[in-house]
Amino acid sequence: MKTNRFKKTSIVLTCAAIMLSGCNAGGSGTSGTGSAKDNKTEQADIPKALTGPVTVKFATSQGIFSDTEFKKYIAEPVAKKYPNISVEYINTSEKGFSLNELIAAGTIPDIVVGYGSTLKQLIDLKLLYNMDPIIKQNKFDTNRVIPEMLEYIKVNGSSDYLGALPVYNNAFGLFYNKALFDKFAVPYPKDGMTWEEVGDLGKKITRNYDGIQYRGFFPDGVNRMINQITLYQLDKDNKAIITTDPWKKAFELWDSIYNYPGNSDAPYNTINFGNNQAAFIKGELGMITGYSSTLNALRQAPDMNWDVVTYPQHRDKMGYSTNVDTPNLSITEQSPNKQAAFLVIETALSDEVQLDLARNGKMSVLKNDKVVQEYGRGIPEFANKTLNLSSIVKLKPSVPRTSKYQGSDTNKAIIDAYEAVLKKEKDINSALRDANEEINKIVEAKIKAQ
C-alpha cells in the first residue's frame, strides 16, 4: 500500500519558519517499539519551536468525521492557527485503510480517532501513547473537560494516564413527538423521569387509530441501561455472571417498558435503532432515546413538532444518563510528530472549535455553560424552534468498567438474548442462561488465543 493512495485533505500553505511557544516537529524520543507504560517516565525534552512545515496524519472513520467535518473542525482551524502544520485525512472506513491494515503496511498515523474499543486496539498494537507529559508540557488544562470523559479514556486504556483526549460528546436524551402527545391528550415527558415513568407514558400513546399503529416508546438496546447502572458481564475470574438477580431485573424492566402488544410487534421485535428512528420521524412513534444522530436526522423533518428531555433514569442510580459515548483523539507511540499532533488536538479542544461543534449538533466535551447553551443553535432547520436541547447534558454520563475480554461479541450475546425474549422464543431466565454460556465460550476462546 502506498501512502499517496490515501483519500486525503491537506491544508498546505507557504510556510515560513515561525516560533511557537511549546512546539516542535519531533516526537518524544522513544524508539517506537515500547509501550506507553514503558515510556511513562522516560520522555525526551520537547524542543520549543517548529522550524518548518509538518504534516500530521489523521486517521478517522467517516462516521466520526466526514470529509466536510474534518475540514471544518480540524484542518481549517489548524491552518488558521498554525500555518506550518498541515493535516492529512485518512479514511479508515475505506477498504484497505483500517487501522490494522495501515499498520500491516507500515503506515502509522500520528493521530488515531475512535471510541473505547479503539483504545483497546491501540494497546494490542502497542500504539497507545502516554499523553500526560505532553499535556503538561503544553500547559493544557484538563480541568476544562468533563471529568467522566477523561475517566472513560483511562478505563478503556487500562491505565492511570491519559492515552487520548475526547473531541465531542454523543450525549443522549429522550426525544418525543409533541404532535402525538397532543393528538391523544397525553402529558409531555419532562426532565428527570425514570424508565418506569417513561414506559407508562409510552403505553398511553400506543394504539391503533384510523388504521395506523402508533407506538409509544423505543428505549434502544438493553445494554444502554446496563451501562447506566454498571452491571458487569464477567467476574474477577472472567466468568460470565449475567444470570444474577440484577441482570434478571434489568431484563424485566426492559420487557415491561417495551415488550407489549402494539409496541413491539413485528417488524419492531428486534432492537433496530435505524428503523425506530425512521418511525419516529414518520410520526408513528411517540418517544425514542436518541443522541446527536437523531438530532441530525430531524433536520430532514423541519415541520415535525418535537422536543427533548433528559435521558430516562434508573431508580437505583438517579442523576446518571447512559455511558460516555465520545470519540477520542490518540497520538500514536511511534509518531515522529507528537508535538505537532498535540497542537492539532489542542486546537480541536479550543473554545472556538468546541462552540462550532456544539452549534452544529455535536455536543462539546467542555465544562462550559455558554457552549452547552448553544447546542444545536447553528442548525438552520431549528432556527424558529424553542427546544430543550441542553437537557441532554443535565445528567452525568456513567463510566462502566469492563474486562478486556468484553467487547462487541459479548455485547451481541446479550442483544441476541433480549431479542429472543422479544420474539417469544425464550423466557428471560432461559435467554440469560444461554447468553451466559455463550459469553463463557467467547471469553475462553480469547484467553486460549493469547
Side-chain angles (χ1 to χ4, degrees):
M1 184 187 301
K2 296 181 180 179
T3 57
N4 61 9
R5 288 179 53 224
F6 289 146
K7 180 181 181 181
K8 67 182 182 180
T9 302
S10 294
I11 304 297
V12 182
L13 304 177
T14 303
C15 302
I18 62 173
M19 300 300 290
L20 300 171
S21 176
C23 306
N24 103 95
S28 65
T30 60
S31 64
T33 58
S35 69
K37 291 181 181 179
D38 294 334
N39 295 295
K40 185 176 179 183
T41 58
E42 297 177 7
Q43 304 289 326
D45 290 338
I46 301 173
K48 296 294 184 182
L50 281 174
T51 56
V54 182
T55 297
V56 172
K57 292 182 172 65
F58 187 98
T60 186
S61 69
Q62 279 279 348
I64 296 176
F65 281 114
S66 66
D67 285 328
T68 301
E69 290 169 337
F70 168 76
K71 292 174 186 175
K72 182 177 179 64
Y73 303 121
I74 304 296
E76 291 173 357
V78 169
K80 181 179 179 181
K81 192 171 183 180
Y82 302 111
N84 57 338
I85 299 177
S86 62
V87 192
E88 180 181 293
Y89 180 89
I90 301 175
N91 177 14
T92 56
S93 303
E94 190 176 335
K95 185 177 180 180
F97 292 87
S98 70
L99 183 56
N100 282 331
E101 288 168 320
L102 289 170
I103 302 310
T107 302
I108 299 179
D110 297 294
I111 295 174
V112 174
V113 190
Y115 291 89
S117 60
T118 301
L119 290 167
K120 295 174 182 178
Q121 186 181 11
L122 290 173
I123 294 172
D124 292 340
L125 293 170
K126 300 191 184 304
L127 295 176
L128 190 67
Y129 170 64
N130 173 16
M131 288 177 57
D132 283 355
I134 204 167
I135 288 171
K136 183 178 180 180
Q137 173 76 25
N138 286 275
K139 298 181 180 179
F140 179 83
D141 184 7
T142 55
N143 290 321
R144 295 171 57 238
V145 181
I146 297 169
E148 288 82 7
M149 307 292 171
L150 303 179
E151 183 184 354
Y152 168 88
I153 289 168
K154 291 181 179 180
V155 166
N156 283 277
S158 301
S159 66
D160 59 356
Y161 59 82
L162 290 171
L165 285 171
V167 64
Y168 62 80
N169 177 12
N170 285 319
F172 287 73
L174 178 69
F175 292 78
Y176 65 98
N177 185 331
K178 296 174 78 171
L180 277 189
F181 281 82
D182 291 341
K183 185 181 186 74
F184 300 126
V186 177
Y188 295 154
K190 57 186 179 182
D191 287 343
M193 298 185 80
T194 65
W195 287 110
E196 289 88 351
E197 290 170 332
V198 175
D200 288 345
L201 279 183
K203 290 171 184 174
K204 292 177 181 178
I205 290 287
T206 303
R207 69 190 72 191
N208 191 292
Y209 184 82
D210 284 345
I212 299 173
Q213 182 60 47
Y214 293 98
R215 300 165 53 241
F217 180 36
F218 177 68
D220 204 356
V222 68
N223 278 327
R224 289 290 184 197
M225 189 265 287
I226 295 299
N227 289 335
Q228 181 182 41
I229 59 176
T230 317
L231 290 186
Y232 297 100
Q233 294 181 14
L234 304 172
D235 64 16
K236 60 182 179 62
D237 297 316
N238 293 311
K239 298 295 183 182
I241 51 172
I242 67 167
T243 55
T244 57
D245 282 345
W247 275 91
K248 182 180 178 181
K249 289 179 180 178
F251 265 55
E252 288 172 345
L253 172 58
W254 226 239
D255 215 39
S256 69
I257 64 176
Y258 182 65
N259 189 16
Y260 56 88
N263 197 61
S264 61
D265 300 335
Y268 300 106
N269 58 350
T270 62
I271 300 300
N272 186 308
F273 184 83
N275 286 351
N276 281 278
Q277 183 171 271
F280 178 72
I281 291 172
K282 189 177 179 181
E284 296 179 357
L285 176 66
M287 298 176 289
I288 185 171
T289 54
Y291 60 110
S292 55
S293 74
T294 305
L295 193 67
N296 286 326
L298 285 165
R299 299 178 70 169
Q300 309 307 314
D303 297 328
M304 184 175 175
N305 188 12
W306 62 274
D307 208 345
V308 60
V309 294
T310 55
Y311 193 77
Q313 298 172 87
H314 196 281
R315 284 177 175 172
D316 293 340
K317 197 172 181 181
M318 296 296 287
Y320 282 85
S321 180
T322 188
N323 55 286
V324 171
D325 191 73
T326 173
N328 304 293
L329 305 172
S330 296
I331 299 173
T332 57
E333 174 69 31
Q334 290 81 355
S335 168
N337 303 307
K338 289 185 175 67
Q339 178 61 19
F342 184 80
L343 294 179
V344 172
I345 294 173
E346 184 181 51
T347 301
L349 285 167
S350 66
D351 287 350
E352 295 80 6
V353 173
Q354 288 290 303
L355 177 61
D356 203 17
L357 280 163
R359 286 182 58 81
N360 289 285
K362 293 182 183 292
M363 180 56 90
S364 171
V365 297
L366 301 183
K367 296 185 297 182
N368 186 318
D369 289 340
K370 178 182 177 182
V371 172
V372 168
Q373 293 302 322
E374 286 295 308
Y375 182 57
R377 292 189 179 179
I379 299 175
E381 292 87 347
F382 304 158
N384 297 319
K385 295 179 181 290
T386 301
L387 299 168
N388 185 29
L389 292 175
S390 63
S391 65
I392 70 170
V393 288
K394 285 183 179 178
L395 303 178
K396 290 184 178 181
S398 61
V399 186
R401 294 181 178 271
T402 59
S403 164
K404 68 177 181 178
Y405 299 112
Q406 181 179 329
S408 59
D409 45 7
T410 61
N411 291 340
K412 184 177 184 302
I414 294 167
I415 294 169
D416 291 346
Y418 185 64
E419 288 194 350
V421 174
L422 274 179
K423 294 176 181 178
K424 310 294 191 293
E425 297 169 349
K426 298 176 184 178
D427 60 37
I428 288 175
N429 287 331
S430 299
L432 286 172
R433 184 177 61 249
D434 292 346
N436 205 73
E437 292 176 4
E438 178 64 21
I439 290 172
N440 277 330
K441 289 177 183 177
I442 291 169
V443 172
E444 286 169 8
K446 289 180 179 179
I447 293 173
K448 287 179 181 179
Q450 288 181 335

